[in-house]
Each structure stands twice: as structure tokens, then as C-alpha cells.
Amino acid sequence: MLSLMQAEAKALEYFHKGYNCAQSVFTAFADQVGLSEEQALRFSSAFGAGLGRMRGTCGAFAGLCMVAGFCKGNLTGAPEEKEIIFSLTRELAEQFKAEFGTLTCRELLHLDEEMESSARPSDRTAAYYAVRPCERCVAFCANKAQELLTAQRW
């Protein structure tokens, strides 16, 4: 089990290596959810930059939701089971919005609808990191994910 500081550092290490926000959060916990690094990177790869760089729901939050699903996800189609993970997701979303104001990548980055229609990711430069809240979002979501895993009782 990682400490909160270790979880945050591990997620940020992935992010600084160029992995997207969802990959960075989820892969930091690959061993804790029973996946290899490669599997976690592949599973989470499409969720970055607001789902495929379409700037929807924050990818870091999506990575957190993947960990939440591991901890509390439903194993049947029963409405009662689905309600548990949906309630947890909503609670996490409220915490994220309280911290950052929105769940939407486009709004977090203050982008116009037309500004980024390309699927090509931006280069990671000092200027990239200076104007984006992504590192803070990754750190926040990594901490929340570690809290969920620590609280999980098998």
C-alpha cells in the first residue's frame, strides 16, 4: 500500500514521462488492482485529455473512477449494486468540482470549442506545465484513489 505522498509522486512521475492524465492516475495503482503496468497503461489510454483529447470529462478523474470501480464496482446488474458505484462516483465528482470548479477538461484548460480539434497531443514543455492545472488534477485524483484503496476491506 502506498502512502498518499508516494501515490501522488508515482502518478506525477508517469505524467512527467508523457503519459496522459488518466494513464498517470490509474497506472500508479496497477499493482494494487492486480494489473501489470502495460495492462493499466493500455486500459486507461483512451481516457486521457477528456476522452480521446475531445476535452470532455477530465482524464485524471476518469483514472480515479477506474480505481473506484475496482474498489466498489458492481458485479451484477442489480440496481442496488450499481447505485453503490454511482453514488461513490458522484461523491468523488463533487469533491473534484469543489477543488477545481468543473469536471470538464475544456473548462479546466480554458479552451474554446474550436481551439483543439486535433487528436495530436501537445508537446510537454515548461510552458505546457505552467498554464495547465493537469499536475494538480493528477495529484488530487491519485490521493483520492489511494484513500479508496486504503479504506477498501476485502
Side-chain angles (χ1 to χ4, degrees), residues 57-83:
T57 299
C58 172
F61 184 76
L64 168 58
C65 288
M66 293 176 77
V67 173
F70 173 79
C71 292
K72 300 284 184 184
N74 60 293
L75 296 174
T76 72
E80 299 79 19
E81 276 198 42
K82 290 192 269 185
E83 184 179 13

Side-chain angles (χ1 to χ4, degrees), residues 7-91:
E8 181 179 320
K10 193 170 184 182
L12 287 171
E13 181 180 337
Y14 279 109
F15 191 68
H16 292 143
K17 286 181 180 178
Y19 293 104
N20 73 45
C21 42
Q23 288 176 304
S24 299
V25 172
F26 187 63
T27 306
F29 304 99
D31 57 340
Q32 293 185 62
V33 301
L35 297 174
S36 69
E37 179 185 55
E38 180 181 338
Q39 290 169 321
L41 287 169
R42 287 183 186 276
F43 284 141
S44 56
S45 63
F47 295 92
L51 188 61
R53 202 167 186 269
M54 292 186 286
R55 304 302 189 192
T57 299
C58 172
F61 184 76
L64 168 58
C65 288
M66 293 176 77
V67 173
F70 173 79
C71 292
K72 300 284 184 184
N74 60 293
L75 296 174
T76 72
E80 299 79 19
E81 276 198 42
K82 290 192 269 185
E83 184 179 13
I84 293 168
I85 188 60
F86 292 163
S87 293
L88 175 58
T89 302
R90 287 169 175 237
E91 179 183 321

Side-chain angles (χ1 to χ4, degrees), residues 12 24 36-37 39 48 52 60 75 94 99 103 113 118 121 131 147:
L12 287 171
S24 299
S36 69
E37 179 185 55
Q39 290 169 321
L75 296 174
E94 289 307 314
E99 183 72 19
L103 277 174
E113 187 80 27
S118 171
V131 298
E147 289 173 2

